[in-house]
């Protein structure tokens, strides 16, 4: 399980490789907050290689989204598989986040 | 993590004989994913598959383990969580037992209401109830029993 960050078209892209759950969510949170403190404002989390997300993982995404918005930035999500889509719909978090089908679609409108 | 010896794989139709096994974990949140991976493998060997396994089972049981470690055992690594699994052709039964004094499972907040949507917590029990077909607790609240059927069940009108 790991989180790889890269910069693409002025956007910080984080790839979640594995799960985003209670055991590793702090690592993601710290990585994104470090970038936010460093002045970055546009963030995209790519779930292409993600297995599952638990309630703690969802909580971290909500928390990061709020913190980024408070700084005038935006957090977008991309490449949710069918299970993850269902999870976001079940919790109605699909109404809270900008969720794109692909990384390119998410980056294009930033 | 202790476990029983692996069951023999039987390709083709789903195994007809029920099987049961148990795991015991210290209260270490980093072990949850390892435990879930093992449990999913055992269920796959028993021919459970699809999103019932990869979403409902994985997330539902992961939430139950996290609750047991955090709220039940207070993150005390010397306290253990026991996971008992029964597999039969129709369903998966999971009992998660912690060594705590119990957790108040009656407190229910709907995290999907607009006023709660931006809350950073409070979705764990909601997910367990939404993803599993049957959820029961023992009286003191230190044991949760989860049932997931192979096929999606019609939900009763009253819950």
């Amino acid at each position: 399980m790991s989180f790889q960050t890269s910069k693409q078209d002025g956007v910080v892209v984080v790839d979640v490789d594995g799960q985003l759950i209670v055991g590793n969510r702090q690592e993601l949170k710290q990585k994104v907050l470090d970038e936010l403190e460093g002045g970055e404002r546009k963030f995209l989390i790519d779930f292409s290689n993600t297995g599952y997300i638990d309630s703690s993982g969802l909580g971290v995404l909500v928390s990061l989204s709020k913190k980024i918005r408070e700084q005038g930035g935006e957090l977008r999500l991309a490449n949710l598989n069918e299970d993850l889509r269902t999870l976001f719909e079940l919790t109605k978090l699909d109404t809270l986040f900008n969720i794109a089908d692909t990384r390119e679609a998410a980056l294009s409108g930033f | 993590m202790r476990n029983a010896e692996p069951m023999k794989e039987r390709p083709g139709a789903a195994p007809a004989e029920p099987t049961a096994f148990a795991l015991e974990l210290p209260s270490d949140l980093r072990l949850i994913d390892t435990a879930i991976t093992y449990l999913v493998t055992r269920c796959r060997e028993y021919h459970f598959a699809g999103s019932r396994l990869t979403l409902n089972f994985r997330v539902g049981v992961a939430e139950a383990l996290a609750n047991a470690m955090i709220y039940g055992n207070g993150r005390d690594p010397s306290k253990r969580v026991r996971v008992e699994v029964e597999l039969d052709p129709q369903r998966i039964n999971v009992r998660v037992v912690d060594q705590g004094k119990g957790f108040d499972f009656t407190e229910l907040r709907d995290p999907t209401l607009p006023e709660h949507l931006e809350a950073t917590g409070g979705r764990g029990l909601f997910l367990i109830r939404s993803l599993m077909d049957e959820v029961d607790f023992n009286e003191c609240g230190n044991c949760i029993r989860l049932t997931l059927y192979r096929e999606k069940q019609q939900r009763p009108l009253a819950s």
Side-chain angles (χ1 to χ4, degrees), chain A residues 34-77:
Chain A
D34 286 348
E35 297 283 355
L36 187 65
E37 273 183 29
E40 299 293 346
R41 292 294 178 265
K42 295 177 181 177
F43 293 86
L44 169 62
I45 302 184
D46 190 322
F47 293 102
S48 300
N49 298 311
T50 308
Y52 66 100
I53 301 177
D54 70 3
S55 63
S56 298
L58 292 173
V60 157
L61 295 176
V62 171
S63 165
L64 287 173
S65 176
K66 273 201 283 194
K67 287 180 192 297
I68 292 167
R69 253 185 291 134
E70 283 165 9
Q71 300 296 322
E74 187 184 353
L75 170 66
R76 294 184 181 184
L77 313 178

Side-chain angles (χ1 to χ4, degrees), chain A residues 2-14:
Chain A
S2 66
F3 306 103
Q4 300 293 330
T5 55
S6 58
K7 193 93 178 276
Q8 200 172 335
D9 302 337
V11 179
V12 177
V13 179
V14 185

Side-chain angles (χ1 to χ4, degrees), chain B residues 1-144:
Chain B
M1 195 165 71
R2 287 179 261 167
N3 55 62
E5 61 182 59
M7 66 177 281
K8 288 175 187 164
E9 189 167 358
R10 295 172 51 173
E17 295 301 318
T19 187
F21 58 94
L23 308 176
E24 272 193 24
L25 311 167
S27 297
D28 180 343
L29 297 173
R30 293 167 300 182
L31 295 177
I32 291 177
D33 192 41
T34 309
I36 294 295
T37 301
Y38 175 76
L39 294 173
V40 165
T41 302
R42 294 295 300 264
C43 293
R44 270 195 216 285
E45 287 172 352
Y46 209 79
H47 299 271
F48 284 92
S51 66
R52 304 280 292 161
L53 184 63
T54 57
L55 173 65
N56 298 61
F57 180 85
R58 278 205 296 195
V59 177
V61 178
E63 295 294 345
L65 291 180
N67 275 348
M69 289 181 185
I70 296 170
Y71 302 111
N73 289 347
R75 297 179 188 244
D76 178 349
S78 69
K79 290 185 176 172
R80 303 182 76 81
V81 173
R82 183 173 171 82
V83 186
E84 297 168 359
V85 181
E86 294 171 2
L87 298 171
D88 71 36
Q90 280 78 42
R91 67 183 75 77
I92 307 170
N93 267 319
V94 182
R95 260 166 49 95
V96 178
V97 188
D98 62 58
Q99 295 182 302
K101 290 178 182 167
F103 178 70
D104 182 9
F105 290 102
T106 58
E107 190 188 314
L108 279 179
R109 189 181 71 168
D110 184 350
T112 66
L113 293 175
E115 60 266 35
H116 299 148
L117 208 53
E118 290 203 82
T120 54
R123 292 182 183 85
L125 199 53
F126 169 82
L127 284 180
I128 292 175
R129 290 190 188 279
S130 303
L131 295 170
M132 306 307 281
D133 293 314
E134 293 170 11
V135 181
D136 299 302
F137 305 95
N138 67 351
E139 228 167 71
C140 81
N142 75 333
C143 171
I144 182 170

